[in-house]
Amino acid sequence: MKIDLTCPVELWQYTTPTESSPECGFVLNNLSAKVVTSVQATLICYGEDGQQLSRQIERVQGLHAGAGERFSIALVPTQWEGVKTIDLVIEKVWFDDATIWRRGSAPLTDYESNALPQGRKLDQLRFVAGADAEGYPQEQAHVWVCVCGRPNALHSDRCCRCERRRDTVFATCSQENVEQLNAVHEEKLAHMARAAREDASRLNEAREKTQQKSNRKKRAVRRTVITVVCLLLAGAAAMLWGVPALRYANAVSLLNDGRYDDARTALIAMDDYGNTAELLLECDYRQAGEWAQSEDTAMQQQAVDMYKQLGTYQDSSALYHQTLYAMGKTLLEGGVYDRAADAFQTLGNYEDSAEQLLEVQYLQAQKLLDNQSFIAARILFDDLGTYKDAKEKVLACYYGSAVDAMERENYATAIDMFTAAGDYVDAPQLLKTACYQQAEMLQQQGDYETAGTLYQQAGDYEDAALKANSCLYEVAKQYMNNEDYTKASVLFAGIVPYLDSEALSWECIYQKALIAVNVANYQQAIDLLLTIPDYEKANDLLSESRYQLAAQNAEAGNSSVAAELYEALGSYKDSEKQLRILRYAMAETAYEAGDYKTAAPLYGVLGKYKDSLTKWKQSLYAVATDELAAEEYRAAIEDFTALGSYEDSEVQAANATLALALALKTSGDTDEAISLLESLPDNAAAREQISEIMLGEATKAQASGDLEKASELYLALGDYNHADEYYKACQYQLGIQKMNAQDYRAAYTLLTALGEYEDAAALAKQCEEEAYGQYATPALTAYENKDWKTVIDTLENFDTNDLPKAYQDLVGMYEEACYRYAEELYGQGAVYEALPYYRRIPEYRNVSTVALQRSCYLILGIWESSDGENSAVFRSDGTCTLLGETLFFTVEDQTVSTDLTADAMTAAYEITAITDDLLTLSVLDESLSTSYMFERTGDAAAADLLITTTATPQPSNTPAATSTATATATAAPTAVPTATVSPDATDSE
């Protein structure tokens, strides 16, 4: 068997095709840690004699197999009749993180299955290893095979399927260990069976003795009665009725006095007199109760037996369980674990008997462990599963066995046991020691190969690594010298990069390939050489092997395989020539057999070789003709188009296109149908079909209420089948819809375009008034009267874009009115009342370059001196906060007048410099000659947010100068006005 060990997906199960079901079903297992979304595989089918019947590559998408999950795929082989066996080779695997695994050039690895047949051995193995066990673990030439049946790479320390550790698998699941564990388990079962049989025998014996005693007494009574009956017959009639009553009373008295044996004897002697049978049961019942009160386990056992014999008498069944439970507790406390376990096991689910049984087994196992009976203790602890620290104790048992084996210098057993002990205490370190010591012994005995492997397992223990490489290197060289290149290459590969081990490993594989070539096994040679792609020496041999394999397949009639090989060889030797010859021969064979579908691509790649071009056209034309007849229109279109002007290919391509369009039209895919038909502009039938499709789509759109789409389609159809009338109806309905939605402009446009259609003209007139008239009439009147404010208010939100010709006068009227009104206000001295209207038309005329560049507007904003000591805020409501005072202000030319009230402002400052970013104010008081330089830190809008709502001005002297670069005086203000500032104030506009 073969396997690709690098593949993240493995084949688990499969079914072969049958006549009734030509489908191959495959169950795959995701070995990776990612989600598999797609798989590409090569399916190869073989017949009775192993001959390849078919080979195909399939990709299965839409999968979602999580890490470790199994998933199913189904493939239908192209040739399924006569299929006996199949191969599935995974070529690519796609994952949900957009990564892709591709099958590389590494060869498949040979391995032998370890599966056991159904039977006792497999059952025993599964008892130890679990239900997924298939066979004993094996280490083979190229792989190690896990107990679950999965082959793994030799360097892998865990199984990629079940994730069992390699060391643990070989230690616990070997045939010897499995048989030992099963033997111990079977001995335990046998012991339990013997105990059960002894209990049953003891009870039967007691019952037999009681019955024999009863029979003897009955016979004695009969003899006595027979002897005296004749003597007393005449005169003892009255006594004959009185004696049994006296005996009965005596027996009852004995029973009440607790003399159960005497009472039982007396009652048995009375045979069936009165209710003696019931009194016998009562006697046993009372005696069992007396025994049950004892702390002696022997008497408790007698009580248990007696209660069991009594069966359903009174509450004997309940007392049986109660007494047996008490006896089990007594035995447990006394350390008699075997009998305690039997008691609790017999009780089953009675009270906490199951828990007590676990505790008994735990203590019994602990006692065995304390006595260093490690194997027996391990079996019991292992049976306990997760009870308490049983799993930890199992490891302790393995560890104890390992230490014991180490002391006896039985290092092989110690290695197995330490491996099974895992990470318990210092087991990993002692495992290395055991491996090292065993390796030392084997090296002295001359078993260098096993010694080297053990040295490797010893890891970093002392000089183990060096000795491992040394041993395995020498062994590998011996194998190599003896021409056992398989073992040699594996050993060399295992100690890379020691000395020249890698190169020697490659050389061994190369030599194996040479041997394969010499016996004409070229495929094996190729598989081997592909594992050493970096070995330059192998490249020529690889090419030659492929060349010879191609020739071999060509001679055997496997033309497709040979062609693939020749093609991969490129220009090696005469591969290209051989490939042409082979392809031409394959094409000719197919052509002569009428298999034009096979012949066409073969002739196609041959180009002008011989008569290939002519036969390619002939073959492809035949294929396309068949495709057209089979209604495979897309393929026919592609092939006829590829033929160009060959014969009537262009006509046939058009026919196929038309047929495909009609099929799409029937299925409802009208968009693609129209696209195809439009590619046939000179075809009258195509044009007719386009019109018919468009008319149908328009009708659908109209019926569904999509009037815009319907109008577009009707318009494109012109006068085809009254489409122009339908168009008008749709436009009319659209106009009504727009009118109802108060979109009068759109309604006016639609209805005006309809002319005299129904009442469209009258409705258009109504829409015109609503859309334009109600604005135009008052605006024009106000404009003529120079009532600029009314013009502005009327056209405030009026859209002047795309106006009808009759209303073109409104274009620019709003902007002109804003400008005129602003200029009028400014001329009247209402400087800041004019500002909002200038701001509405910044790009109109010279507003941005002249009007808004006036000092009265530029000064608006927030200003601060470079040292942060002086600030100024000028707002559009005519107030300012200047050098700490809240004032009213006006700006005329370059003069700034201020005061605490708006009625009597006086000139206080001169603007000596002003730009978008800088402001210089000079105090007009000649006695001070002070200047203030500011930088803008906020625009007019920011300043307006700081508009004051109330002010309580106080008398103030001339504003003082501060220490700035241009200050020339040091006078300071004596009073500062207070102000209440509202952050919620809005623009005066």
Side-chain angles (χ1 to χ4, degrees):
M1 302 178 72
K2 295 179 181 291
I3 188 172
D4 183 353
L5 295 175
T6 67
C7 184
V9 171
E10 70 168 342
L11 177 61
W12 190 275
Q13 295 174 337
Y14 71 89
T15 57
T16 54
T18 62
E19 291 186 2
S20 59
S21 177
E23 183 178 75
C24 295
F26 300 92
V27 179
L28 305 176
N29 187 26
N30 179 11
L31 301 174
S32 72
K34 297 184 286 187
V35 176
V36 173
T37 59
S38 181
V39 171
Q40 180 173 302
T42 300
L43 176 64
I44 309 171
C45 297
Y46 301 93
E48 186 73 47
D49 55 355
Q51 180 182 2
Q52 181 175 316
L53 299 179
S54 66
R55 179 189 183 94
Q56 63 195 84
I57 298 177
E58 300 283 351
R59 178 176 177 184
V60 180
Q61 303 188 66
L63 303 174
H64 191 276
E69 287 185 359
R70 297 179 191 174
F71 59 99
S72 301
I73 63 173
L75 303 176
V76 178
T78 55
Q79 170 62 41
W80 54 271
E81 293 181 347
V83 172
K84 299 301 180 184
T85 59
I86 55 176
D87 276 345
L88 188 76
V89 180
I90 306 298
E91 304 289 352
K92 293 182 182 179
V93 179
W94 286 262
F95 301 100
D96 65 344
D97 61 354
T99 57
I100 303 175
W101 174 87
R102 294 178 174 84
R103 180 169 174 256
S105 56
L108 299 179
T109 303
D110 290 314
Y111 76 98
E112 295 293 333
S113 173
N114 67 337
L116 291 172
Q118 293 293 329
R120 179 176 173 77
K121 284 189 177 294
L122 181 58
D123 293 339
Q124 288 180 335
L125 175 61
R126 289 178 174 171
F127 170 76
V128 174
D132 65 334
E134 294 292 334
Y136 301 118
Q138 295 178 359
E139 186 169 321
Q140 300 179 7
H142 305 294
V143 297
W144 67 272
V145 185
C146 182
V147 68
C148 69
R150 165 71 189 190
N152 299 275
L154 286 173
H155 63 270
S156 173
D157 63 348
R158 282 188 182 274
C159 176
C160 63
R161 178 188 294 169
C162 66
E163 297 190 346
R164 289 182 174 94
R165 288 180 54 183
R166 175 180 177 177
D167 295 343
T168 303
V169 167
F170 279 93
T172 61
C173 301
S174 65
Q175 184 173 355
E176 178 183 357
N177 193 58
V178 169
E179 290 175 351
Q180 181 182 14
L181 292 174
N182 275 274
V184 173
H185 181 69
E186 288 172 359
E187 177 59 29
K188 177 183 175 183
L189 294 177
H191 172 73
M192 293 171 60
R194 284 196 301 272
R197 287 196 299 272
E198 288 172 1
D199 286 346
S201 177
R202 191 163 51 249
L203 291 173
N204 287 332
E205 184 178 353
R207 282 194 294 269
E208 288 175 0
K209 286 181 179 180
T210 301
Q211 186 65 38
Q212 289 172 359
K213 188 175 180 180
S214 175
N215 291 338
R216 284 196 301 271
K217 288 182 178 181
K218 288 179 179 179
R219 286 196 297 271
V221 170
R222 289 194 201 98
R223 285 195 298 270
T224 302
V225 171
I226 293 171
T227 304
V228 300
V229 68
C230 294
L231 298 175
L232 301 177
L233 185 60
M239 292 296 294
L240 186 62
W241 295 102
V243 172
L246 291 174
R247 289 179 179 174
Y248 178 84
N250 181 55
V252 170
S253 177
L254 292 171
L255 175 60
N256 292 332
D257 291 342
R259 296 168 60 186
Y260 303 117
D261 289 337
D262 293 339
R264 187 179 295 106
T265 301
L267 289 168
I268 291 173
M270 296 183 69
D271 201 2
D272 294 330
Y273 179 81
N275 63 341
T276 53
E278 183 177 351
L279 289 176
L280 279 170
L281 294 174
E282 180 64 20
C283 184
D284 290 345
Y285 177 81
R286 293 186 185 183
Q287 188 168 34
E290 187 176 285
W291 289 337
Q293 300 303 315
S294 173
E295 294 183 358
D296 184 350
T297 56
M299 297 187 72
Q300 288 176 330
Q301 182 64 59
Q302 285 181 298
V304 168
D305 295 341
M306 187 70 78
Y307 280 132
K308 187 174 183 180
Q309 184 177 344
L310 286 167
T312 58
Y313 181 74
Q314 293 192 31
D315 58 347
S316 296
S317 178
L319 291 173
Y320 162 77
H321 290 92
Q322 180 179 322
T323 307
L324 183 58
Y325 181 85
M327 185 181 73
K329 294 283 286 185
T330 303
L331 291 168
L332 173 60
E333 292 168 2
V336 187
Y337 300 125
D338 289 338
R339 290 185 59 200
D342 291 341
F344 289 123
Q345 190 168 27
T346 302
L347 285 166
N349 293 324
Y350 178 76
E351 293 190 359
D352 63 342
S353 295
E355 185 72 18
Q356 293 293 339
L357 178 59
L358 292 174
E359 180 64 15
V360 170
Q361 288 180 313
Y362 181 86
L363 293 173
Q364 188 177 17
Q366 184 62 52
K367 184 176 180 180
L368 290 170
L369 177 60
D370 294 341
N371 294 333
Q372 297 187 2
S373 298
F374 300 115
I375 294 177
R378 186 177 76 242
I379 292 171
L380 289 176
F381 278 128
D382 197 41
D383 285 345
L384 287 168
T386 58
Y387 182 73
K388 289 188 175 180
D389 59 345
K391 288 188 175 295
E392 187 74 12
K393 295 293 186 181
V394 170
L395 299 179
C397 293
Y398 279 121
Y399 181 84
S401 297
V403 171
D404 180 62
M406 282 278 284
E407 292 173 353
R408 293 183 284 105
E409 297 185 358
N410 184 356
Y411 300 117
T413 300
I415 290 169
D416 292 340
M417 296 298 102
F418 277 131
T419 300
D423 296 329
Y424 185 78
V425 194
D426 58 346
Q429 290 71 34
L430 292 178
L431 173 61
K432 294 178 181 179
T433 303
C435 289
Y436 186 88
Q437 295 299 334
Q438 181 70 359
E440 291 279 272
M441 291 176 57
L442 293 173
Q443 186 178 18
Q444 292 175 7
Q445 296 169 10
D447 188 354
Y448 297 104
E449 183 174 354
T450 308
T453 302
L454 287 168
Y455 279 130
Q456 284 183 326
Q457 293 179 30
D460 57 357
Y461 183 80
E462 295 185 359
D463 59 346
L466 179 62
K467 286 189 174 182
N469 291 339
S470 177
C471 287
L472 295 177
Y473 184 84
E474 292 303 323
V475 172
K477 289 194 72 173
Q478 290 178 13
Y479 280 129
M480 186 175 180
N481 294 334
N482 294 333
E483 298 184 359
D484 189 346
Y485 299 115
T486 298
K487 290 185 178 179
S489 63
V490 172
L491 290 172
F492 279 130
I495 58 174
V496 172
Y498 183 73
L499 299 178
D500 58 345
S501 56
E502 185 173 47
L504 291 177
S505 173
W506 291 347
E507 179 61 25
C508 289
I509 294 173
Y510 178 80
Q511 292 298 329
K512 287 175 64 179
L514 272 179
I515 293 171
V517 168
N518 291 334
V519 296
N521 191 346
Y522 301 113
Q523 184 60 60
Q524 182 182 6
I526 292 169
D527 293 341
L528 288 167
L529 294 169
L530 287 173
T531 65
I532 51 173
D534 297 329
Y535 197 45
E536 294 182 5
K537 186 177 178 181
N539 292 334
D540 290 339
L541 185 60
L542 177 60
S543 297
E544 182 60 24
S545 299
R546 285 173 167 165
Y547 182 85
Q548 293 299 334
L549 182 61
Q552 196 176 68
N553 277 280
E555 185 177 352
N558 298 326
S559 302
S560 58
V561 176
E564 288 179 10
L565 290 165
Y566 279 132
E567 186 174 14
L569 283 166
S571 60
Y572 181 76
K573 288 188 174 180
D574 62 342
S575 295
E576 293 176 340
K577 176 183 176 182
Q578 295 297 335
L579 178 60
R580 286 194 297 271
I581 294 172
L582 187 61
R583 280 177 170 165
Y584 186 80
M586 293 166 64
E588 288 286 278
T589 301
Y591 184 85
E592 291 171 3
D595 184 3
Y596 302 113
K597 197 164 189 176
T598 300
L602 290 169
Y603 283 129
V605 296
L606 287 169
K608 296 181 179 180
Y609 182 76
K610 294 186 176 180
D611 58 348
S612 296
L613 185 57
T614 300
K615 287 187 175 178
W616 169 72
K617 292 179 179 179
Q618 293 172 351
S619 300
L620 189 59
Y621 185 87
V623 169
T625 302
D626 290 342
E627 289 168 340
L628 181 57
E631 299 182 359
E632 297 173 5
Y633 301 122
R634 295 186 189 276
I637 292 169
E638 182 180 350
D639 290 339
F640 278 128
T641 302
L643 286 167
S645 60
Y646 178 75
E647 294 190 359
D648 62 343
S649 294
E650 293 176 341
V651 174
Q652 296 290 5
N655 292 339
T657 302
L658 181 60
L660 177 58
L662 291 174
L664 290 169
K665 171 190 170 185
T666 302
S667 66
D669 190 353
T670 55
D671 289 339
E672 187 179 1
I674 290 174
S675 177
L676 288 168
L677 292 168
E678 287 176 343
S679 69
L680 305 172
D682 299 328
N683 190 302
R687 292 196 300 273
E688 178 68 21
Q689 286 296 327
I690 290 175
S691 297
E692 185 178 330
I693 293 172
M694 289 178 65
L695 183 60
E697 290 297 304
T699 303
K700 283 189 210 172
Q702 183 178 6
S704 65
D706 190 352
L707 299 174
E708 292 183 357
K709 180 179 179 181
S711 296
E712 183 182 345
L713 292 169
Y714 284 135
L715 182 62
L717 286 168
D719 60 355
Y720 177 79
N721 205 3
H722 306 295
D724 50 350
E725 292 299 321
Y726 298 141
Y727 169 74
K728 291 178 181 179
C730 287
Q731 290 292 95
Y732 180 81
Q733 289 299 321
L734 273 173
I736 297 297
Q737 287 181 2
K738 297 293 184 183
M739 187 174 177
N740 292 335
Q742 297 185 359
D743 186 358
Y744 297 111
R745 288 196 176 196
Y748 172 76
T749 302
L750 290 165
L751 294 168
T752 300
L754 289 172
E756 298 302 320
Y757 182 81
E758 294 190 2
D759 60 344
L763 293 175
K765 194 66 178 174
Q766 295 177 29
C767 293
E768 179 184 15
E769 176 59 27
E770 292 291 336
Y772 308 108
Q774 62 174 324
Y775 301 98
T777 301
L780 288 169
T781 301
Y783 191 84
E784 290 174 0
N785 296 329
K786 297 183 180 181
D787 183 359
W788 313 121
K789 185 66 169 64
T790 299
V791 174
I792 294 169
D793 293 341
T794 302
L795 300 178
E796 180 71 39
N797 297 310
F798 184 73
D799 183 6
T800 59
N801 292 316
D802 301 323
L803 289 175
K805 186 175 180 180
Y807 299 97
Q808 288 296 314
D809 291 344
L810 296 177
V811 176
M813 184 179 290
Y814 175 79
E815 290 80 0
E816 180 65 16
C818 286
Y819 181 79
R820 294 282 188 92
Y821 189 52
E823 287 289 287
E824 186 178 281
L825 290 171
Y826 185 82
Q828 296 171 0
V831 174
Y832 294 116
E833 286 84 346
L835 179 59
Y837 298 99
Y838 282 131
R839 285 177 173 171
R840 297 185 192 188
I841 53 171
E843 304 302 322
Y844 189 71
R845 291 195 184 187
N846 59 353
V847 172
S848 61
T849 58
V850 176
L852 292 178
Q853 295 300 313
R854 294 166 180 155
S855 297
C856 61
Y857 298 139
L858 288 177
I859 201 171
L860 296 176
I862 303 173
W863 307 86
E864 189 172 340
S865 63
S866 59
D867 58 8
E869 293 187 5
N870 296 313
S871 63
V873 179
F874 293 95
R875 293 175 282 268
S876 62
D877 65 344
T879 66
C880 68
T881 303
L882 179 60
L883 302 175
E885 287 187 294
T886 300
L887 306 166
F888 290 96
F889 80 97
T890 61
V891 178
E892 186 174 354
D893 294 331
Q894 300 298 104
T895 301
V896 179
S897 300
T898 64
D899 206 330
L900 293 173
T901 66
D903 298 330
M905 288 185 281
T906 58
Y909 301 92
E910 181 182 1
I911 300 173
T912 55
I914 187 167
T915 67
D916 286 341
D917 300 317
L918 297 174
L919 169 66
T920 302
L921 296 179
S922 297
V923 180
L924 292 178
D925 188 340
E926 296 179 356
S927 64
L928 295 175
S929 300
T930 303
S931 296
Y932 298 92
M933 294 180 63
F934 301 97
E935 296 177 358
R936 186 186 294 277
T937 59
D939 59 13
D944 287 345
L945 292 175
L946 302 177
I947 291 176
T948 59
T949 56
T950 61
T952 308
Q954 298 176 3
S956 173
N957 293 330
T958 304
T962 53
S963 178
T964 65
T966 59
T968 58
T970 59
T974 59
V976 178
T978 61
T980 303
V981 180
S982 171
D984 297 326
T986 58
D987 194 306
S988 62
E989 182 182 348

